[in-house]
Amino acid sequence: MMLVRPKLQYACCTWDPYRHQKDIAALERVQRKAARFVTGNYEQTASVTSMLSELKWDSLESLRGRARLTTMYKMCYGMLEGNWGSYMIPNRERRTRGSHYFKFVVPKGNKDVFRFSFFPRTISEWNRLPSDTVLAKTVHSFKKKLT
């Protein structure tokens, strides 16, 4: 898996299948085959789900989601260079007690290709995070709070 996972996770925070279950399933199949390979269990009756839990491997979909949120954290705290100011407009509305100061306006779009791209998807997930997670001091502590 050490050789396969980096290939599957390359640019995963920007390219993340959002709607087409066949694309998500194709990626997950690779990990399921790797679990059989690592455990050496190729029996047809063997449960790959139990193999994955035994190996303590998360689904690739959840890994991609955490990678997107970690990238967003790095953007908010100036750890990544880039010009994404037009996408990350601070939301000044503070209606709830659990609100945090790093909320952003979710960009609107008419086409699915934009609506389900990195910024709209990640910002809406980011805005739902609790304030103690968003205000974590380091990337490591942020990642720990996501799990």
Side-chain angles (χ1 to χ4, degrees):
M1 193 61 180
M2 201 165 72
L3 299 173
V4 176
R5 187 168 269 178
K7 300 283 187 205
L8 293 174
Q9 290 182 325
Y10 176 75
C12 71
C13 53
T14 53
W15 183 86
D16 183 12
Y18 59 91
R19 228 177 27 158
H20 302 291
Q21 195 59 39
K22 66 181 176 86
D23 295 336
I24 295 168
L27 289 173
E28 294 295 335
R29 259 193 312 276
V30 175
Q31 178 159 299
R32 295 174 75 79
K33 285 181 184 179
R36 284 192 182 275
F37 176 77
V38 169
T39 59
N41 189 348
Y42 295 98
E43 295 176 22
Q44 285 185 333
T45 57
S47 168
V48 180
T49 305
S50 65
M51 288 179 212
L52 290 170
S53 64
E54 179 184 310
L55 292 167
K56 295 185 176 112
W57 288 357
D58 291 330
S59 72
L60 294 175
E61 185 174 14
S62 66
L63 290 174
R64 287 191 305 272
R66 285 198 298 267
R68 281 189 291 111
L69 288 170
T70 302
T71 302
M72 185 74 176
Y73 177 90
K74 291 176 181 178
M75 288 175 177
C76 288
Y77 285 95
M79 297 176 194
L80 289 178
E81 296 288 328
N83 184 13
W84 37 73
S86 61
Y87 296 108
M88 293 176 61
I89 301 164
N91 187 353
R92 302 287 180 219
E93 189 175 307
R94 306 272 183 262
R95 288 190 183 186
T96 63
R97 253 186 315 180
S99 186
H100 54 80
Y101 292 101
F102 272 122
K103 284 195 174 194
F104 298 98
V105 175
V106 179
K108 304 288 183 218
N110 296 330
K111 305 280 184 197
D112 281 354
V113 72
F114 178 74
R115 281 196 325 219
F116 296 104
S117 66
F118 176 80
F119 283 106
R121 285 180 72 196
T122 307
I123 288 174
S124 62
E125 288 176 22
W126 175 266
N127 288 345
R128 287 191 301 267
L129 289 175
S131 60
D132 65 318
T133 303
V134 171
L135 299 174
K137 299 285 184 202
T138 64
V139 175
H140 178 70
S141 62
F142 176 77
K143 286 180 180 181
K144 230 176 156 179
K145 290 182 181 203
L146 285 179
T147 56

